[in-house]
Amino acid sequence: MKKLTLILTTTLLVGSFLFTTNLNAQNRPGPPPNGERKGPPGGGHSPEQTKTLEEIGGYKIGEVASDFTLKNVDDNMFSLSDISNAKGYIVVFTCNECPFAKMYEDRLIDLHNTYAPMGYSVVAINPNVSEDNDRESFAAMQKRAKEKQFPYVYLADESHEVFPKYGAVRTPHVFLLDKERKVQYIGTIDDNARSAEDVNTKYVENAIQALQKGKSPELTFTKAIGCPVASK
């Protein structure tokens, strides 16, 4: 009788353990349905700029940016001084393949179409250009510019000397210069990389509008959001 009782007790304990284990497994959170995921893209890397301007070592607010000469996708050489009657320059470091750069392409087109007639042209520079990378080669830049019909110049930083001077560490990374090429704003374009429709604050536009009124931008720095520049 004692032996039978021991067997029944053991069976009940094992059964209870298996039931609890199975229940916990069912309740354990798994991947979201349809592969949806909140937060930064997979890979464990935050898209937000991590270094300060001092740590980066590029231009600071108020410093004068030097001009440059880079090859445009039309095979002509381009300098900031080539823009006549410029009141400022929207210098943005971007590339072909970064998902964040792609998210902002249409917004950059809109920025240029809106503000170039007012004297503020978009000047896009690819810091990742490399003939060793088919997706970021000069030919790939030309193809992308043609596909998207960029109304602005798209320049190749082939020597990889311009972006370190500016301190560009993400794509996209914006440096708004005034007429004298003084840096007036550094950072991201707006406050919502993923959705243009859900943007609340347009940092670059606000800075330009301040300059148009003869004032300094209220906000001069934000952390750039994007892919790390593939520096050499």
Side-chain angles (χ1 to χ4, degrees):
M1 185 68 177
K2 290 183 178 181
K3 186 174 181 181
L4 179 61
T5 301
L6 180 61
I7 292 173
L8 289 173
T9 301
T10 303
T11 302
L12 288 172
L13 288 173
V14 171
S16 176
F17 173 76
L18 292 175
F19 175 80
T20 301
T21 301
N22 183 55
L23 182 62
N24 289 337
Q26 291 176 356
N27 292 333
R28 186 180 301 126
N34 303 320
E36 295 178 353
R37 179 190 300 272
K38 293 184 178 181
H45 301 291
S46 171
E48 186 176 282
Q49 169 187 337
T50 55
K51 292 184 178 180
T52 65
L53 295 182
E54 288 71 22
E55 290 171 330
I56 293 169
Y59 293 129
K60 310 299 186 298
I61 301 299
E63 292 184 344
V64 177
S66 59
D67 203 351
F68 47 74
T69 301
L70 297 174
K71 186 164 66 171
N72 187 25
V73 288
D74 64 2
D75 284 313
N76 293 316
M77 303 305 290
F78 174 88
S79 299
L80 294 177
S81 57
D82 292 333
I83 303 177
S84 59
N85 301 317
K87 294 182 179 178
Y89 311 87
I90 308 169
V91 179
V92 54
F93 292 86
T94 186
C95 64
N96 284 358
E97 290 300 312
C98 170
F100 290 91
K102 291 180 177 180
M103 289 175 195
Y104 274 111
E105 285 176 335
D106 288 340
R107 277 175 267 185
L108 285 176
I109 291 171
D110 289 340
L111 264 177
H112 182 82
N113 288 339
T114 300
Y115 289 100
M118 303 179 193
Y120 298 85
S121 296
V122 168
V123 178
I125 303 173
N126 188 340
N128 295 339
V129 61
S130 171
E131 294 309 310
D132 297 329
N133 183 348
D134 290 341
R135 296 180 297 176
E136 296 292 353
S137 66
F138 185 70
M141 288 176 58
Q142 291 178 309
K143 180 180 178 182
R144 188 66 180 170
K146 184 176 181 180
E147 288 174 348
K148 294 294 296 185
Q149 297 184 331
F150 291 156
Y152 47 78
V153 295
Y154 188 23
L155 312 175
D157 188 6
E158 293 176 306
S159 63
H160 302 103
E161 294 178 354
V162 175
F163 81 82
K165 289 182 180 179
Y166 275 75
V169 294
R170 301 278 164 163
T171 53
H173 203 162
V174 176
F175 296 77
L176 177 64
L177 316 180
D178 65 16
K179 186 176 181 179
E180 286 74 36
R181 298 202 308 272
K182 286 184 180 179
V183 181
Q184 297 289 342
Y185 170 80
I186 300 174
T188 189
I189 296 168
D190 54 42
D191 66 353
N192 197 319
R194 298 185 183 280
S195 174
E197 290 74 23
D198 295 321
V199 168
N200 291 314
T201 307
K202 298 180 178 182
Y203 301 121
V204 172
E205 288 196 51
N206 290 347
I208 293 173
Q209 290 166 9
L211 294 182
Q212 287 179 310
K213 297 175 183 177
K215 300 179 180 180
S216 297
E218 290 186 10
L219 185 64
T220 59
F221 169 76
T222 59
K223 291 183 178 180
I225 305 293
C227 306
V229 169
S231 57
K232 294 259 178 174

